[in-house]
């Protein structure tokens, strides 16, 4: 699923790539990270339905650093996870959320990953997401 | 009977002592948070010598630095551990950022290359630490993805954590904000540069060691 939007000047060809949970399910850590990095190297901002596991985030940083070392003009990534803020919710809502998380995995979150040269900063707010383009 | 008791107590207390001797405590955090400044403060306080150079230029520490057998004697308690100071973890490295600090292009590029390798090395060391002091710049937003990734990885590996908010000597420092971001963990505000609040830090370090 790709929502491509041409932009003038230096952002020409920039596109968003939405990765649904189902597309990542069943992949190994290495395959997931490779899939994400291939998209980011293609100058895409990846919106992943769900969140990476901590070890996947660490692997993503490791592989990103290896790429920075080997791919000319690649400076790394911007990464942010947007999660619903349940701190002020009642017991029942939190219970329902945790149960769903256990049954189908944590797909209530969104993970945004983009090339550092394109994305200057990703600002998180429980109600909104701002992607500052460089 | 006496011999049996003696052997039993030697095993219990000897085991405890041995465990404390072999502790490996890692210092993790984003670049320029003051990990090496804190490691230097500790090493200087207890061994008389520093562990590494510090600088305003990010990624000054680009290799894991290890100080064997740092012995802290504090309020009648003794703790010996291996101090592991790691390069700052980041998701991006741009050599052009180093040029702003007056570095030559060639030197900046080399620094960037070494920094990327340092980050990989720091992540690999996560498998070889017993406890971690996460050092965060108290003047910065604590909700950064790097902080969240580091802490998430430590939780997944069941490694005890102490969060340190460094640079409390600066006006913009806000330790309460760090406490709000990581309410599950003990947070201590310090200034490694000026040695502020180090007593509270050492007490927290003993509490951290007890969790191992």
């Amino acid at each position: 699923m790709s929502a491509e939007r041409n932009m003038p000047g230096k952002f020409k060809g920039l596109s968003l790539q939405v990765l649904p949970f189902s597309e990542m399910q069943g992949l190994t850590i290495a395959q997931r990270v490779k899939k994400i990095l291939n998209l980011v190297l293609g100058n895409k901002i990846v919106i992943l339905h769900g969140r990476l596991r901590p070890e996947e985030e660490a692997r993503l940083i490791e592989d990103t650093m290896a790429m920075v070392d080997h791919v000319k003009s690649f400076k790394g990534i911007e990464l942010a996870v947007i999660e619903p803020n349940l701190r002020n919710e009642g017991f029942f809502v939190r219970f329902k959320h945790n149960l769903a998380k256990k049954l189908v995995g944590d797909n209530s979150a969104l993970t945004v990953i983009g090339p550092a040269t394109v994305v200057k900063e990703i600002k998180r707010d429980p109600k909104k997401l701002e992607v500052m383009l460089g | 009977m006496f011999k049996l008791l003696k052997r039993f107590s030697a095993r219990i207390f000897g085991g405890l002592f041995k465990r404390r001797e072999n502790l490996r405590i890692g210092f993790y955090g984003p670049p320029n948070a003051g990990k090496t400044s804190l490691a230097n403060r500790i090493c200087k306080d207890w061994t008389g010598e520093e562990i590494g150079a510090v600088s305003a230029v990010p990624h000054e520490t680009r290799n894991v630095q290890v100080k064997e057998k740092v012995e802290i004697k504090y309020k009648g308690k003794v703790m010996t551990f291996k101090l592991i100071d790691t390069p700052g973890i980041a998701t991006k490295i741009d050599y052009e950022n180093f040029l702003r600090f007056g570095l030559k292009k060639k030197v900046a590029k080399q620094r960037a290359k070494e920094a990327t390798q340092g980050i990989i090395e720091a992540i690999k060391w996560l498998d070889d630490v017993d406890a971690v002091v996460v050092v965060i710049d108290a003047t910065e937003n604590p909700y950064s993805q790097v902080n969240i990734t580091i802490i998430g990885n430590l939780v997944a590996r069941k490694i005890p954590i102490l969060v340190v908010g460094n640079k409390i000597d600066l006006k913009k420092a806000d330790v309460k904000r760090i406490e709000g971001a990581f309410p599950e963990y003990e947070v201590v505000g310090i200034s490694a540069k000026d040695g502020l609040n180090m007593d509270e830090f050492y007490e927290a370090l003993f509490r951290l060691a007890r969790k191992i």
Side-chain angles (χ1 to χ4, degrees):
Chain A
M1 209 189 304
S2 171
E4 194 148 333
R5 187 176 139 210
N6 286 329
M7 289 178 148
K10 74 195 256 199
F11 301 126
K12 198 177 174 189
L14 172 72
S15 66
L16 298 177
Q17 176 90 32
V18 180
L19 280 181
F21 193 71
S22 56
E23 222 172 284
M24 298 295 267
Q25 232 175 356
L27 297 183
T28 63
I29 293 181
Q31 287 169 329
R32 284 181 186 215
V33 169
K34 193 176 171 194
K35 193 177 181 103
I36 292 166
L37 276 179
N38 279 342
L39 290 166
V40 171
L41 282 166
N43 239 16
K44 287 191 164 96
I45 296 177
V46 179
I47 299 177
L48 177 70
H49 192 196
R51 69 169 301 167
L52 296 169
R53 290 193 293 267
E55 63 270 28
E56 289 170 333
E57 285 179 9
R59 176 68 184 266
L60 179 63
I61 295 176
E62 275 186 87
D63 289 5
T64 298
M65 287 302 122
M67 290 283 191
V68 170
D69 223 5
H70 291 101
V71 179
K72 207 181 166 195
S73 80
F74 181 57
K75 315 278 189 202
I77 57 168
E78 282 288 352
L79 164 73
V81 181
I82 325 295
E83 285 181 292
N85 187 359
L86 297 172
R87 267 187 205 162
N88 302 324
E89 296 293 344
F91 169 78
F92 188 64
V93 173
R94 276 183 288 144
F95 175 75
K96 235 172 38 177
H97 183 263
N98 287 334
L99 186 67
K101 221 165 141 176
K102 287 265 186 292
L103 292 173
V104 294
D106 186 5
N107 60 0
S108 59
L110 277 182
T111 304
V112 185
I113 306 157
T117 38
V118 173
V119 181
K120 195 173 134 207
E121 203 182 343
I122 300 173
K123 284 191 175 173
R124 274 167 301 171
D125 183 293
K127 290 193 176 69
K128 64 176 182 185
L129 159 74
E130 279 178 56
V131 179
M132 324 280 284
L133 298 174
Chain B
M1 183 69 183
F2 179 71
K3 258 187 187 172
L4 260 177
L5 271 173
K6 202 176 155 187
R7 212 177 296 159
F8 176 75
S9 62
R11 190 184 292 173
I12 296 295
F13 296 111
L16 275 176
F17 186 68
K18 196 176 162 198
R19 227 176 60 191
R20 288 273 150 97
E21 278 276 295
N22 296 329
L23 287 184
R24 296 160 301 176
I25 301 183
F27 285 54
Y28 278 82
N32 264 27
K35 295 174 293 300
T36 306
S37 296
L38 176 58
N40 277 344
R41 168 72 56 186
I42 297 166
C43 289
K44 225 174 156 187
D45 281 354
W46 304 102
T47 71
E49 50 188 28
E50 295 189 338
I51 191 169
V54 294
S55 160
V57 189
H59 299 284
E60 179 64 20
T61 306
R62 299 184 295 283
N63 288 104
V64 170
Q65 305 178 120
V66 178
K67 189 85 175 170
E68 302 280 350
K69 292 200 172 175
V70 177
E71 189 180 69
I72 297 181
K73 288 178 184 164
Y74 186 76
K75 290 188 180 171
K77 292 174 279 190
V78 182
M79 178 168 75
T80 307
F81 62 97
K82 183 194 269 191
L83 191 156
I84 300 146
D85 179 31
T86 67
I89 293 179
T91 59
K92 57 186 174 190
I93 304 273
D94 188 350
Y95 80 89
E96 286 177 7
N97 290 339
F98 304 141
L99 300 177
R100 283 187 286 142
F101 293 90
L103 267 64
K104 293 251 163 57
K105 198 172 173 179
K106 198 178 165 192
V107 177
K109 278 188 169 176
Q110 183 60 27
R111 191 183 186 91
K113 191 177 173 63
E114 289 168 5
T116 58
Q117 288 156 2
I119 292 169
I120 295 171
E121 195 190 357
I123 292 172
K124 294 214 184 302
W125 264 88
L126 279 171
D127 294 326
D128 294 304
V129 290
D130 301 309
V132 164
V133 175
V134 179
V135 184
I136 294 174
D137 183 339
T139 67
E140 299 279 335
N141 178 8
Y143 294 93
S144 77
Q145 191 57 45
V146 164
N147 292 342
I148 293 166
T149 299
I150 293 171
I151 291 180
N153 269 274
L154 296 169
V155 172
R157 289 170 161 86
K158 297 188 171 67
I159 298 172
I161 302 166
L162 168 65
V163 180
V164 167
N166 189 26
K167 307 189 187 181
I168 60 164
D169 54 299
L170 300 178
K171 247 186 185 174
K172 264 177 72 187
D174 188 350
V175 178
K176 286 264 175 279
R177 194 164 52 158
I178 301 174
E179 287 170 352
F182 306 109
E184 299 92 342
Y185 308 104
E186 181 169 9
V187 178
V188 182
I190 62 149
S191 165
K193 187 176 77 129
D194 294 346
L196 298 177
N197 219 20
M198 290 303 289
D199 284 354
E200 201 186 312
F201 169 76
Y202 288 127
E203 280 183 22
L205 199 61
F206 274 97
R207 281 194 292 275
L208 176 73
R210 277 203 294 272
K211 289 180 192 163
I212 299 166

